[in-house]
Amino acid sequence: MNMSRQKKRKLEQPRTSQIFIRFLVVLLLQAISQVIWLGTYLLLNQNISRIEFPESSDYLLGSLYSSVITIFLTIWYAQRIDGKSYSSLGLNKKRVVAQASIGYLAGLLLAAIIVLYLINKSLVVLTLNPSKELSCNILYFFGFILQSFSEELLIRGYFMTSLATRIPTWSAVIISSLIFSIFHVLNGNATVLSCLNLTLVGFFFSLVFLLSKSIIFTGFLHAAWNFTLSCIFGFEISNVQIGTTLFKTHFQINDSLITGGKFGIEASIVVTFLLTFLILSIILIRLKKFEIFKITH
């Protein structure tokens, strides 16, 4: 009885305040893990003058793995405070391995399409990286899975679905995509195109989640996108450069519109065209799927 009254009061609150409250929750849940890791890192490196972050691979790896804290906190908050179920977060227990595997392959394919296009147009040359470290790349492989999954769970699984119970689904998709973009452009060296592309990335991941109903599928797709572009092909993504990549990328053109500049490949016009094509294709082909989409607790 008390729980139903609590939910009713939440639904009666103004929509703007609901959006703002959940935005603050997202910021808090995201910040807690990073603050814990930052404090741990400073304790482990007592000579503060020699600390190099976020450029340090140790710091970056720790930051990725600290995302496990965000995962547990998000599930705890969504269930205990908001009364959401696992299924409403997109955590489907059936065929988990299949969801993860297919999602990862899809993300790998999307990243490969971008690289193959650039190679085909003679815009980039790839060479083997002599300083590659397999053990380090394995750590990044699992680290990106945790980090990407935590972002999808928090922004799509919790934030977007919470908004969609109070405002139209399309509005929830747009707002969550903008929040996703803001989180990434704060890494630095952002441009107008990088902001647009990251919003499109968020929009695309939202559509994938709406279609698949699986945050596992979406999270692993996101992870493969990050890992393939950064750790395999050596691109800078969201102003983050991985040192021990499989390949070294050499652009044959000095045009930031193509290369993405200091922010990385996610600020490239090539990514803009690919994401726009994918989003429009999904909307035109599967529009009815979104019209009947319902989010429940």
Side-chain angles (χ1 to χ4, degrees):
M1 187 69 175
N2 291 334
M3 181 62 74
S4 63
R5 287 178 179 176
Q6 185 180 4
K7 288 182 180 180
K8 185 175 180 181
R9 284 198 297 270
K10 287 181 180 179
L11 290 171
E12 289 173 350
Q13 291 178 5
R15 291 179 179 180
T16 304
S17 65
Q18 283 290 308
I19 295 171
F20 183 68
I21 290 171
R22 275 159 179 75
F23 173 63
L24 291 179
V25 169
V26 168
L27 283 180
L28 180 62
L29 294 177
Q30 181 73 11
I32 288 174
S33 63
Q34 294 304 307
V35 170
I36 290 175
W37 166 239
L38 177 59
T40 304
Y41 187 75
L42 291 175
L43 286 174
L44 294 174
N45 296 270
Q46 296 181 0
N47 191 344
I48 298 179
S49 62
R50 294 185 178 181
I51 294 178
E52 298 178 355
F53 57 88
E55 292 83 3
S56 167
S57 60
D58 292 338
Y59 182 82
L60 179 56
L61 280 169
S63 179
L64 294 176
Y65 278 88
S66 69
S67 299
V68 72
I69 300 174
T70 304
I71 294 172
F72 283 113
L73 287 177
T74 302
I75 294 174
W76 175 83
Y77 186 92
Q79 286 194 308
R80 297 291 184 178
I81 308 301
D82 269 10
K84 295 176 74 70
S85 64
Y86 279 108
S87 60
S88 68
L89 294 171
L91 294 170
N92 302 317
K93 298 179 181 179
K94 296 181 179 179
R95 303 179 63 192
V96 172
V97 175
Q99 294 177 56
S101 300
I102 298 173
Y104 206 91
L105 287 174
L108 193 154
L109 177 61
L110 290 179
I113 288 174
I114 293 174
V115 177
L116 290 174
Y117 174 82
L118 292 172
I119 293 174
N120 183 58
K121 295 296 182 179
S122 300
L123 297 172
V124 71
V125 173
L126 298 181
T127 59
L128 281 174
N129 184 2
S131 61
K132 59 182 179 297
E133 296 179 20
L134 181 60
S135 59
C136 193
N137 281 339
I138 291 174
L139 290 174
Y140 276 116
F141 173 81
F142 290 106
F144 272 121
I145 288 176
L146 290 173
Q147 183 263 344
S148 301
F149 180 75
S150 72
E151 282 189 1
E152 293 306 314
L153 179 65
L154 181 60
I155 296 177
R156 244 73 64 180
Y158 169 71
F159 183 65
M160 189 183 79
T161 60
S162 295
L163 295 188
T165 60
R166 295 164 177 83
I167 62 176
T169 301
W170 285 111
S171 298
V173 168
I174 293 171
I175 293 172
S176 63
S177 299
L178 290 172
I179 298 301
F180 178 83
S181 176
I182 291 171
F183 274 17
H184 288 77
V185 298
L186 291 177
N187 289 347
N189 288 319
T191 62
V192 173
L193 193 55
S194 69
C195 295
L196 171 62
N197 282 357
L198 287 167
T199 302
L200 290 175
V201 169
F203 202 96
F204 172 67
F205 287 154
S206 296
L207 295 184
V208 169
F209 175 52
L210 292 179
L211 283 174
S212 66
K213 307 287 196 300
S214 170
I215 207 67
I216 297 172
F217 179 94
T218 313
F220 273 76
L221 186 153
H222 186 168
W225 169 274
N226 286 343
F227 180 79
T228 305
L229 286 175
S230 62
C231 293
I232 295 181
F233 293 115
F235 289 101
E236 195 166 358
I237 57 169
S238 298
N239 198 37
V240 175
Q241 179 71 62
I242 307 296
T244 58
T245 61
L246 181 61
F247 293 100
K248 283 278 189 180
T249 300
H250 308 277
F251 276 101
Q252 304 302 295
I253 184 173
N254 191 26
D255 185 353
S256 61
L257 193 65
I258 301 296
T259 67
K262 292 183 179 180
F263 191 82
I265 192 65
E266 288 176 326
S268 168
I269 193 72
V270 177
V271 174
T272 310
F273 285 127
L274 174 63
L275 290 170
T276 302
F277 171 77
L278 291 171
I279 290 170
L280 291 178
S281 298
I282 293 174
I283 292 175
L284 292 174
I285 295 172
R286 306 303 297 274
L287 184 60
K288 292 182 179 179
K289 191 87 172 180
F290 304 125
E291 291 174 348
I292 62 173
F293 182 76
K294 298 291 183 182
I295 296 178
T296 60
H297 284 277

